[in-house]
């Protein structure tokens, strides 16, 4: 059974459970283990011995329960061989080498990792999530990286470049009615030139 409201898996109401004379109640369906009390009844979602997917990033294993007339002692036992990790990694202020070095410290060659990069990076650092993912893959059993970073451009420096970006920015400044409009258009345009979807400043 399941205590979750709206579940499709044999919902058991807490008030009904409270009226049953028992010491221990074990529930199903939920993969991540959890131990809790309902009135004087010890309850648990024992979980699954092994995680199946990235939603199973909690405590996976089994329950060791000692049940007597006087007390119920529940001990969760971690059993999973490979854990799932969903991690947020802020790359702000770091260059590529620093990102790789920091990420290596949280990876291992046993578990599954799904890492989301967030924060601001500067264009002159040459940030590439694909390059970083390839560099880090040998350090994890399985690795997925999602790039949700935002590019931060040093507009004044880029304007001086003898490049398409520099020419674009100089032309843009001459034709924008205000500095605010220029900065917004510059961000969108530079993202487009870099193959990224334009975003807000």
């Amino acid at each position: 059974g399941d205590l979750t409201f709206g579940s499709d898996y044999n919902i058991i109401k807490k008030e009904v459970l409270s009226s049953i004379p028992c010491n221990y109640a074990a529930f199903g369906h939920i993969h991540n283990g959890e131990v809790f009390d309902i009135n004087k009844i010890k309850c648990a979602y024992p979980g699954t011995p092994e995680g199946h997917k990235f939603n199973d990033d909690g405590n996976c294993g089994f329950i060791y329960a000692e049940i007597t007339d006087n007390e119920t002692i529940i001990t969760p036992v971690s059993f999973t061989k490979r854990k799932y990790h969903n991690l947020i990694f802020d790359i702000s202020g770091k260059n590529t080498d620093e990102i790789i070095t920091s990420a290596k410290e949280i990876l291992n060659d046993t578990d599954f990792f799904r890492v989301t990069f967030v924060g601001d990076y500067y264009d002159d650092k040459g940030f590439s999530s694909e390059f970083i993912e390839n560099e880090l893959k040998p350090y994890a059993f399985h690795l997925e990286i999602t790039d949700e970073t935002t590019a931060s451009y040093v507009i004044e420096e880029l304007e001086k470049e003898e490049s398409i970006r520099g020419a674009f920015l100089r032309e843009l400044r001459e034709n924008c009615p205000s500095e605010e409009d220029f900065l917004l258009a510059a961000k969108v345009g530079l993202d487009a030139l870099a193959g990224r979807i334009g975003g807000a400043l």
Side-chain angles (χ1 to χ4, degrees):
D2 189 357
L3 292 169
T4 305
F5 178 78
S7 172
D8 295 328
Y9 297 90
N10 190 26
I11 299 175
I12 300 174
K13 295 182 178 179
K14 292 182 180 180
E15 55 269 26
V16 173
L17 178 64
S18 299
S19 67
I20 299 174
C22 66
N23 294 358
Y24 173 58
F27 301 94
H29 175 54
I30 303 298
H31 289 185
N32 291 327
E34 182 183 358
V35 177
F36 53 96
D37 292 338
I38 294 180
N39 289 341
K40 296 182 179 180
I41 302 173
K42 284 286 184 182
C43 302
Y45 286 103
T48 179
E50 286 285 350
H52 299 173
K53 53 189 182 300
F54 277 99
N55 288 343
D56 303 338
D57 60 351
N59 296 317
C60 292
F62 61 88
I63 294 294
Y64 178 79
E66 297 180 78
I67 305 170
T68 67
D69 290 337
N70 298 321
E71 65 176 347
T72 300
I73 301 174
I74 297 177
T75 305
V77 179
S78 179
F79 188 72
T80 183
K81 181 179 179 181
R82 302 192 191 280
K83 296 181 180 179
Y84 287 83
H85 304 273
N86 292 285
L87 306 175
I88 304 296
F89 192 102
D90 190 343
I91 58 92
S92 300
K94 296 182 174 66
N95 60 35
T96 297
D97 288 341
E98 291 170 335
I99 293 170
I100 292 173
T101 299
S102 298
K104 284 180 181 178
E105 296 176 357
I106 60 176
L107 300 177
N108 61 60
D109 60 4
T110 302
D111 297 344
F112 297 84
F113 290 87
R114 179 174 286 168
V115 180
T116 301
F117 285 149
V118 298
D120 297 333
Y121 74 89
Y122 284 91
D123 183 67
D124 58 1
K125 291 181 179 178
F127 177 79
S128 167
S129 60
E130 293 82 4
F131 172 79
I132 294 173
E133 182 172 354
N134 288 331
E135 290 293 304
L136 292 175
K137 275 186 174 180
Y139 297 90
F141 179 78
H142 174 85
L143 175 65
E144 300 175 16
I145 289 181
T146 301
D147 183 3
E148 294 184 3
T149 59
T150 302
S152 295
Y153 300 101
V154 184
I155 302 296
E156 296 80 4
E157 294 299 320
L158 295 179
E159 279 187 271
K160 301 174 184 177
E161 287 186 355
E162 292 300 326
S163 63
I164 293 176
R165 294 189 305 183
F168 161 71
L169 291 171
R170 291 189 292 272
E171 182 73 18
L172 185 65
R173 185 178 287 280
E174 290 181 5
N175 291 280
C176 275
S178 68
E179 181 70 11
E180 182 179 357
D181 289 338
F182 166 72
L183 291 174
L184 179 59
K187 173 67 168 63
V188 174
L190 289 170
D191 279 351
L193 289 171
R196 300 174 61 87
I197 298 174
L201 287 173

